[in-house]
Amino acid sequence: MSVYSMTGYAAVQSSPARTASEADSSPDSHARLGVEIRSVNSRFLDLTFRLPDELRQSEPALRELLSGKLKRGKIEMRVSLESSSGSGLRAPAAATLQRLGSMEDTVRSWLPGAAALSVADILRMAAGEDKAAHDYSDELIKLAKKALKELLSAREREGARLAQMLLERTSQLRALAAAAVPMVPKLVEQQKTRFMERWQEAMALGGGNNLPEAAQDRALTEATSFAIRIDVAEEITRLSSHLDEIDRLLAGGGELGKRLDFLIQELHREANTLGSKSASLEMTHVSVDMKVLIEQIREQVQNIE
């Protein structure tokens, strides 16, 4: 399976073929439909629709279509319905004019003082009647499926880019962890030597020329205790395990954003512990560099579905 980003965009338009009968009876039946879908990251699936009044009845079908393919993200779908003619003005059908004239005669027979219909009134009422006569539901769903397919392709391409970036960052984190491992024995040996020197200085100040065996054992005990305190082997092991799991999830694809987010939190915890145990400037630099990489990973994981 692929890794999908929650960021994507798709826009498609359709101009249904016009027939002679449609041109006479329903001038607006060949209007251009447009579908635009925008997607950004979100913790859950959040769907928003911007539809013309003529297409409001299609919202449940569109919602079902999107929720069947998308699991997370803030999704906005905009649908436009525009006349394909240059001016957008069409001559009313003869049947429509006859019906409006009959209705006007009926009204004025009961209300003689009523104003006559103007040309603007007739055009407006005729246009409204023509639009209501045509059902765009099937055309809209077909176009929405096409737009959704393009959106998924865009999210897949962005997801592949994010996955590659994350794999590069996990590789850099492994390199830092590998660099930290040999630092600990060196630090322990340095600290052991330092303890012995301090004991020898203390005994010299006390008038003794030789370091008593008990004092030497005490110095070794202190060095051992220090070694235990700065041992980061456990943190390095857990960090490597989390990195292995991230790589496994990226290779498997699918819905992995929330699991990745949890693993990033664990990586950050191990890097913090590594920093708190730091006994040298080099180890502190390793911890800081790890935190920078982990933060970069965290920012990008927020965009993965």
Side-chain angles (χ1 to χ4, degrees):
M1 296 179 66
S2 301
V3 176
Y4 286 91
S5 169
M6 285 186 283
T7 302
Y9 174 81
V12 295
Q13 286 188 328
S14 176
S15 182
R18 183 182 186 185
T19 65
S21 60
E22 286 177 333
D24 293 336
S25 61
S26 183
D28 195 51
S29 62
H30 68 292
R32 182 186 298 273
L33 275 173
V35 175
E36 181 182 21
I37 308 179
R38 299 177 183 270
S39 172
V40 295
N41 62 313
S42 176
R43 292 184 61 191
F44 307 101
L45 182 61
D46 182 6
L47 301 177
T48 304
F49 297 91
R50 301 284 186 266
L51 307 176
D53 292 338
E54 300 94 326
L55 304 175
R56 285 292 177 190
Q57 72 278 5
S58 298
E59 181 173 332
L62 294 173
R63 185 176 295 275
E64 182 179 359
L65 175 66
L66 295 184
S67 60
K69 295 292 185 180
L70 305 172
K71 303 305 178 184
R72 294 178 66 200
K74 183 177 178 60
I75 315 297
E76 181 183 56
M77 173 180 279
R78 291 179 177 269
V79 179
S80 60
L81 181 61
E82 300 176 355
S83 170
S84 60
S85 64
S87 64
L89 185 63
R90 302 177 184 278
T96 299
L97 292 175
Q98 183 178 4
R99 188 159 47 252
L100 290 175
S102 177
M103 292 172 63
E104 181 183 23
D105 291 340
T106 301
V107 171
R108 299 190 69 182
S109 67
W110 287 91
L111 301 172
L117 288 174
S118 66
V119 174
D121 293 334
I122 294 173
L123 291 176
R124 185 178 64 254
M125 295 173 68
E129 184 177 90
D130 289 336
K131 286 183 181 179
H134 187 76
D135 185 4
Y136 292 94
S137 300
D138 293 339
E139 300 169 31
L140 176 57
I141 295 301
K142 290 179 181 178
L143 200 62
K145 288 181 179 179
K146 182 179 179 181
L148 178 58
K149 184 178 180 180
E150 292 190 8
L151 177 70
L152 291 173
S153 296
R155 285 166 56 125
E156 183 177 8
R157 290 192 299 270
E158 178 66 11
R161 188 190 68 80
L162 291 176
Q164 181 61 36
M165 188 280 292
L166 293 178
L167 290 173
E168 292 174 359
R169 297 298 185 273
T170 57
S171 177
Q172 293 173 12
L173 282 171
R174 282 194 174 87
L176 288 173
V181 172
M183 292 182 184
V184 176
K186 182 179 179 181
L187 289 173
V188 172
E189 186 62 30
Q190 290 176 350
Q191 190 66 15
K192 178 181 176 180
T193 302
R194 189 177 299 115
F195 279 145
M196 296 297 292
E197 291 174 351
R198 288 178 180 175
W199 275 105
Q200 289 174 350
E201 291 174 0
M203 295 303 298
L205 291 175
N209 295 324
N210 298 320
L211 185 64
E213 185 176 351
Q216 185 174 355
D217 290 342
R218 177 64 182 276
L220 293 175
T221 300
E222 291 292 336
T224 302
S225 176
F226 173 78
I228 294 174
R229 289 197 302 271
I230 68 170
D231 187 9
V232 294
E234 186 176 353
E235 286 74 18
I236 296 297
T237 299
R238 285 197 296 262
L239 189 143
S240 298
S241 177
H242 297 328
L243 292 175
D244 289 342
E245 181 64 10
I246 290 175
D247 289 351
R248 187 189 69 80
L249 289 174
L250 292 173
E255 301 171 35
L256 46 86
K258 292 182 179 179
R259 285 178 287 177
L260 286 176
D261 191 54
F262 170 77
L263 289 171
I264 300 309
Q265 296 178 34
E266 295 301 309
L267 285 177
H268 203 275
R269 181 179 293 110
E270 302 305 334
N272 277 334
T273 304
L274 196 67
S276 66
K277 288 187 174 184
S278 175
S280 69
L281 186 60
E282 292 82 359
M283 186 71 77
T284 299
H285 287 163
V286 168
S287 175
V288 171
D289 290 342
M290 280 186 173
K291 291 178 183 180
V292 171
L293 289 172
I294 292 170
E295 181 61 22
Q296 292 175 357
I297 294 176
R298 187 194 67 79
E299 291 177 357
Q300 298 304 323
V301 163
Q302 304 306 310
N303 294 319
I304 294 180
E305 186 176 43

